[in-house]
Structures are given as C-alpha cells and as structure tokens.
C-alpha cells in the first residue's frame, strides 16, 4: 500500500514542485519573526543568580577543579608588582628603531632585538619563497 501512495505522489508532483518542497526551510519552534536575524530575546543570556556581594568578593569562574570554590579576591598589596604591568602598551618595532639604542632600558633593548630578528627572518623567508 505504501508503494501505491509513493507512485501517486510521484505523479502529482512535477520536478519543479518537488524542488520547491525539498528546499523549503522549516523551523522546529514555529514561524520566525519578521525582521529577526537569528537569536532573539529568547537567546539572550540569563541574569546571573549570584548576589552582588559574591561577585565583588570572589573570582567567579576561576575554579577549574570539580571540588572546591572560586578563590577570594585579595587586596592589591597581596599580588606581585609585575601583575599590574601585564597590560601596559609596549613600543612597536618601528618606534624602537627611531630611538637611540644606547639609551633604551634593558627590557626595551631585549624586545628590540627579538622583534628585529623576527622581522629579518620574515623578510629572508619571503625573499627565498619568491626565488
């Protein structure tokens, strides 16, 4: 009986109609809203259930272990000095080349040598690739 149904459907649909039916986009949750480009209000992140006191006193999400709790935020004096300089802007190679090498601090001199070597290696590699 199923074969008869398939044959009758095959005769009813023309090739063009079959392509239209096969290419129609359907949504699992119903019709899409006009003008929406994907995630709507339902996809927005949920409000956090943590209180403001917990958020301001702990590093939320820093615990990587199954057991245990998130670490508490300590006063600034408890952290090492180098931590506060991690996000400082450093000079680019072009700026370092404009400066007098003899007057550069040791850290900037190390950075200059590293960046200059990297630039020379890239240039040599590009020249070799062209040949």
């Amino acid at each position: 009986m199923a074969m008869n149904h398939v044959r009758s459907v095959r005769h009813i649909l023309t090739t063009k109609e079959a392509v239209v039916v096969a290419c129609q986009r359907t949504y699992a949750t119903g019709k899409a809203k006009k003008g929406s480009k994907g995630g709507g209000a339902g996809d927005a992140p949920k409000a956090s259930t943590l209180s403001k006191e917990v958020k301001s006193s702990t590093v939320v999400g820093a615990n990587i272990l199954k057991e245990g709790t998130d670490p508490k935020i300590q006063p600034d004096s408890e952290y090492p000095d180098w931590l506060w300089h991690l996000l400082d802007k450093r000079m680019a190679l072009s700026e370092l080349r404009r400066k007098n090498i003899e007057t550069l601090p040791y850290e900037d001199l190390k950075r200059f040598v590293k960046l200059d070597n990297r630039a020379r290696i890239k240039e040599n590699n590009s020249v070799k690739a062209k040949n």
Side-chain angles (χ1 to χ4, degrees), residues 26-124:
T26 59
Y27 297 95
T29 59
K31 291 185 178 181
K33 295 178 183 175
K34 285 189 176 182
S36 67
K37 288 243 181 194
D43 295 340
K46 303 269 190 279
S48 177
T49 58
L50 294 173
S51 67
K52 289 185 179 182
E53 297 86 29
V54 172
K55 285 183 183 178
S56 64
S57 65
T58 61
V59 183
V60 179
N63 181 26
I64 59 171
L65 305 174
K66 287 184 178 180
E67 295 86 25
T69 59
D70 291 328
K72 300 285 182 196
I73 295 177
Q74 299 174 355
D76 290 352
S77 61
E78 296 293 320
Y79 294 104
D81 291 333
W82 57 264
L83 181 66
W84 308 113
H85 301 289
L86 285 178
L87 298 178
D88 291 347
K89 295 284 184 184
R90 293 191 267 168
M91 288 188 275
L93 179 59
S94 59
E95 293 176 32
L96 289 170
R97 283 183 175 158
R98 282 184 259 153
K99 302 259 183 184
N100 185 3
I101 294 176
E102 296 171 0
T103 61
L104 283 177
Y106 179 71
E107 293 297 321
D108 289 342
L109 186 62
K110 274 187 4 182
R111 180 169 167 76
F112 172 73
V113 169
K114 180 179 84 169
L115 293 176
D116 190 50
N117 282 338
R118 185 181 296 161
R120 278 190 290 112
I121 290 169
K122 282 185 178 182
E123 186 177 336
N124 289 339

